């Protein structure tokens, strides 16, 4: 080898083994002999223990803060709490700031309230915490004139105010106000039926205090005191398909309820308000789903106990619900 010439790496390796490699050896190593192979793959992780994770629908929804914000995009949620977390992440706020959401309207419109279903083309508006206020209430009759619902994430709020009722006389109390405390006792985390029960148990003639949190409003909404018309309560979401949110299990894409399901759900929602002072389309839908295929009231009561036993519905309510579903089935309504 002359000075200045460099030895190839292959020749260097061959010299270390005992001499220069021939052309045939080089060909054998690179083409005709043993070819280089990739290192072995690492062992795969063992399958996770426990039940499989629920698949998350890959559906994208557009959202804004109701009082004004840029438009965000969210996806990958299966229940209301996860939905609020996604919205909060987009707008860099805490999920606890969100009181409730409406569909396709930035106004405090209880006809557009997001419940357990979202149309695939619906636009979501999130209403966040605004002004905190305290009001003193004295019952003059058994009912206050309130309809209570909740957002599915721990906040109960006022869905409806009956005209000329006790609450209607208090002009600072508005539809959409979150009931944060009764007599300084926090009710955050309580379901709407629990809050309705507490309010019913307040004695007549004895003043009590409500601490309320109103939704933050844009300038064009300040001063509005909205009230949902009774004839429009229970209106289902628009669109050919909806995303059904569930507290347990995966969210599912479903067809819009048929005429029977919509009429029966509306009737059950009316009965919920009559007996319990609440309106909850998701709860009414669950009741209809539990009862629509049952052949007798005993089977219906057993199904209700297994699905919604925590509510401890009175027998007279279950009887009326069974009758309402039967009337709709027989097209008597």
């Amino acid at each position: 080898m002359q000075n200045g010439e460099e030895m190839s790496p292959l020749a260097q390796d061959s010299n270390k083994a005992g001499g220069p490699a021939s052309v045939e050896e080089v060909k054998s190593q690179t083409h005709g002999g043993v070819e280089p192979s990739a290192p072995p793959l690492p062992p795969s992780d063992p399958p996770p223990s426990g039940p499989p994770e629920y698949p998350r629908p890959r559906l994208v929804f557009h959202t804004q803060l109701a009082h004004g914000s840029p438009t965000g995009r969210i996806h990958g949620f299966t229940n209301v709490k996860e939905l609020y977390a996604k919205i909060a992440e987009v707008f860099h706020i805490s999920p606890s700031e969100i009181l409730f959401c409406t569909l396709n309207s930035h106004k405090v419109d209880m006809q557009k309230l997001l419940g357990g279903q979202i149309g695939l083309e619906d636009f979501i508006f999130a209403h966040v915490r605004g002004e905190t206020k305290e009001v003193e209430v004295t019952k003059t009759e058994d009912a206050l004139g309130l309809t209570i619902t909740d957002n599915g994430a721990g906040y109960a709020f006022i869905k409806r105010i009956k005209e000329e009722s006790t609450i209607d006389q208090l002009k600072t109390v508005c539809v959409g106000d979150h009931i944060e405390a009764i007599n300084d006792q926090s009710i955050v985390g309580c379901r709407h039926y629990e809050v309705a029960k507490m309010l019913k148990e307040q004695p007549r003639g004895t003043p009590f205090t409500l601490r309320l949190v109103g939704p933050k409003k844009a300038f064009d909404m300040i001063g509005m005191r909205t009230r949902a018309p009774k004839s429009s309560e229970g209106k289902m979401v628009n669109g050919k398909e909806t995303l059904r949110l569930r507290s347990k299990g995966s969210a599912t894409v479903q067809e819009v309820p048929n005429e029977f399901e919509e009429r029966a759900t509306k009737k059950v929602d009316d009965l919920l308000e009559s007996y319990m002072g609440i309106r909850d389309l998701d709860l009414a839908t669950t009741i209809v789903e539990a009862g629509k295929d049952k052949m007798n009231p005993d089977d219906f009561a057993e199904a209700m106990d297994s699905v919604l036993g925590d509510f401890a519905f009175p027998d007279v309510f279950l009887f009326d619900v069974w009758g309402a579903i039967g009337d709709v089935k027989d097209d008597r309504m």
Side-chain angles (χ1 to χ4, degrees), residues 82-144:
E82 290 181 2
L83 166 64
Y84 286 7
K86 293 289 184 179
I87 294 174
E89 182 180 351
V90 167
F91 296 113
H92 307 291
I93 61 176
S94 169
S96 63
E97 290 291 302
I98 301 174
L99 298 181
F100 57 87
C101 294
T102 50
L103 300 176
N104 307 314
S105 174
H106 69 287
K107 298 180 180 179
V108 181
D109 185 347
M110 295 295 110
Q111 298 177 55
K112 305 292 181 65
L113 188 66
L114 185 153
Q117 300 185 60
I118 307 174
L120 299 190
E121 296 183 358
D122 283 340
F123 198 110
I124 303 171
F125 289 90
H127 299 254
V128 301
R129 294 174 64 95
E131 175 191 4
T132 299
K133 52 197 173 183
E134 289 194 354
V135 295
E136 187 176 272
V137 183
T138 302
K139 269 189 175 182
T140 56
E141 50 189 344
D142 290 337
L144 287 170

Side-chain angles (χ1 to χ4, degrees), residues 27-60:
K27 288 182 179 179
S28 174
Q29 293 178 36
T30 58
H31 298 290
V34 178
E35 296 184 356
S37 60
L41 295 174
S44 59
D45 295 332
S49 59
E53 292 186 2
Y54 291 109
R56 293 174 179 264
R58 291 297 179 185
L59 303 172
V60 177

Side-chain angles (χ1 to χ4, degrees), residues 224-269:
M224 294 177 60
R225 190 172 194 258
T226 57
R227 178 182 287 105
K230 184 173 183 179
S231 59
S232 299
E233 286 280 4
K235 183 178 179 181
M236 307 302 288
V237 295
N238 295 322
K240 294 183 179 180
E241 290 183 317
T242 64
L243 180 68
R244 176 78 187 277
L245 304 178
R246 301 178 187 275
S247 58
K248 297 180 181 179
S250 61
T252 55
V253 177
Q254 298 178 340
E255 293 292 327
V256 167
N258 59 35
E259 184 180 357
F260 159 73
E261 293 170 335
E262 187 168 350
R263 291 170 60 200
T265 299
K266 173 64 170 62
K267 192 62 181 176
V268 172
D269 200 33

Side-chain angles (χ1 to χ4, degrees), residues 262-300:
E262 187 168 350
R263 291 170 60 200
T265 299
K266 173 64 170 62
K267 192 62 181 176
V268 172
D269 200 33
D270 289 342
L271 288 171
L272 282 170
E273 182 179 32
S274 175
Y275 278 89
M276 303 178 65
I278 64 174
R279 278 193 179 270
D280 187 330
L281 279 178
D282 190 37
L283 176 59
T285 300
T286 301
I287 291 173
V288 172
E289 288 178 348
K292 64 183 181 181
D293 297 326
K294 299 300 179 287
M295 303 305 296
N296 58 67
D298 290 337
D299 289 346
F300 171 63

